[in-house]
Amino acid sequence: LWPAMLSAMGASESESRQRTASTESNGRGRSGSLHRVTLTYAAEPCACAPAADVPPDQQVSSTRHYFTSPKAHISVNRELRPGNASGSTRHIEVELAGTGLEYQTADTLCVLPENETGAVLAVASTLAYDLDSYVRLVPVQGQRFKNSFPSPCSVRDILSKYLDIQGIVRHGAAERLLPYISQPSQAQWLQNLLLPTNRGLFKKTIEDRFRCLADLIAPGAELSSANIPLSDLLHLVPHLQPRYYTISSSNLSFPDVVSITVSVTAFAVTPDLQGGA
């Protein structure tokens, strides 16, 4: 919209690019300034670690599994492709004993994933978060909201279980990071990628390289000067989504074990800051 409108009004190409780059992803103009996300709730520090308890009517339905899913033991994780075969397919068995779960043949198993330890450490290191501290979600200026994960909660659990810090950073999400980048050269690098004329470069640099938030803001990375308060991060980063798999076992033969058969896609992840990989 903006390039066509400004061109019709006689604006120069550089003015058009500057105005386009300063347009919010939701379509509202910014008059050249960068606005931080509007908060509907905030993460308030807790002095202790009380038990998380959120009534059902205060839970977001799309993340309801966070409040009800039991933990289960994986007893088998076996590679099905031989030797040097291309790719990986895993046979995974989950023990149901003690979970209260039952299943029927060909049901769907919902698995809640967790982020890599290295990614969690990278985000916490850059943003100076104390992983062992606890917070609870509270409304901002009386605004109504629903909890999207158990509260109170540790910062470690928030980054590990609930925020998709390893998902691919899309164009709109990257633009919302701009107000939080304190180093001018890094902000300029990101702003250049966000130009409408650089859509292909953005995809090649970020999306095609599986560049997630943890990679982008890790110490020494392109956006390592990011300074994002936890409350803002909760509004900026999407939640981890459940993974659904068709069950490959029979409940008649294996009533206490559920198995899934999954294809694995591998790509580079953020190095573990403690020296692992």
Side-chain angles (χ1 to χ4, degrees):
L1 170 66
W2 282 109
M5 181 180 293
L6 291 171
S7 176
M9 297 173 63
S12 67
E13 182 178 356
S14 61
E15 291 173 329
S16 176
R17 287 186 177 182
Q18 182 180 9
R19 184 66 179 106
T20 303
S22 65
T23 302
E24 286 185 335
S25 58
N26 63 8
R28 293 177 293 175
R30 283 202 291 229
S31 302
S33 62
L34 298 175
H35 296 295
R36 297 191 171 208
V37 67
T38 299
L39 302 182
T40 57
Y41 58 88
E44 180 182 86
C46 293
C48 57
D53 183 18
V54 176
D57 63 343
Q58 295 180 21
Q59 302 171 6
V60 176
S61 59
S62 62
T63 58
R64 64 188 183 279
H65 298 297
Y66 289 157
F67 302 91
T68 58
S69 60
K71 291 186 177 181
H73 175 68
I74 296 176
S75 56
V76 176
N77 185 351
R78 184 173 70 248
E79 177 61 53
L80 296 180
R81 300 196 192 189
N84 297 322
S86 175
S88 173
T89 301
R90 313 292 300 189
H91 170 81
I92 298 174
E93 296 183 6
V94 182
E95 299 286 347
L96 298 183
T99 66
L101 297 179
E102 297 179 350
Y103 76 99
Q104 299 294 319
T105 304
D107 272 353
T108 298
L109 180 67
C110 173
V111 178
L112 301 182
E114 293 189 11
N115 292 310
E116 293 277 349
T117 301
V120 173
L121 293 175
V123 171
S125 177
T126 294
L127 302 181
Y129 293 166
D130 179 1
L131 292 174
D132 294 321
S133 63
Y134 282 76
V135 298
R136 60 170 167 262
L137 304 185
V138 296
V140 173
Q141 297 181 345
Q143 298 188 66
R144 298 180 62 184
F145 80 99
K146 288 191 175 183
N147 290 264
S148 50
F149 54 81
S151 173
C153 185
S154 72
V155 176
R156 187 183 304 276
D157 278 352
I158 290 175
L159 296 182
S160 300
K161 301 178 180 179
Y162 306 126
L163 292 187
D164 192 6
I165 60 174
Q166 288 192 271
I168 298 174
V169 178
R170 303 300 183 185
H171 194 276
E175 188 172 25
R176 290 192 291 271
L177 292 176
L178 268 174
Y180 301 93
I181 308 303
S182 59
Q183 187 172 317
S185 62
Q186 293 187 358
Q188 184 60 49
W189 175 85
L190 178 57
Q191 196 158 22
N192 180 62
L193 283 181
L194 293 171
L195 290 174
T197 53
N198 285 340
R199 286 279 183 173
L201 179 61
F202 178 90
K203 180 176 177 61
K204 181 178 180 180
T205 303
I206 296 183
E207 292 185 9
D208 287 354
R209 292 168 55 188
F210 295 96
R211 300 306 301 272
C212 61
L213 177 71
D215 286 338
L216 284 171
I217 70 172
E222 289 89 340
L223 302 180
S224 59
S225 68
N227 183 13
I228 310 174
L230 181 59
S231 296
D232 294 52
L233 190 75
L234 294 176
H235 290 72
L236 289 168
V237 179
H239 290 87
L240 275 170
Q241 296 300 309
R243 272 59 164 170
Y244 295 91
Y245 302 96
T246 299
I247 292 173
S248 56
S249 56
S250 166
N251 68 308
L252 298 180
S253 299
F254 305 98
D256 297 324
V257 176
V258 58
S259 70
I260 56 177
T261 307
V262 300
S263 177
V264 179
T265 300
F267 55 91
V269 297
T270 304
D272 190 308
L273 295 185
Q274 292 181 336

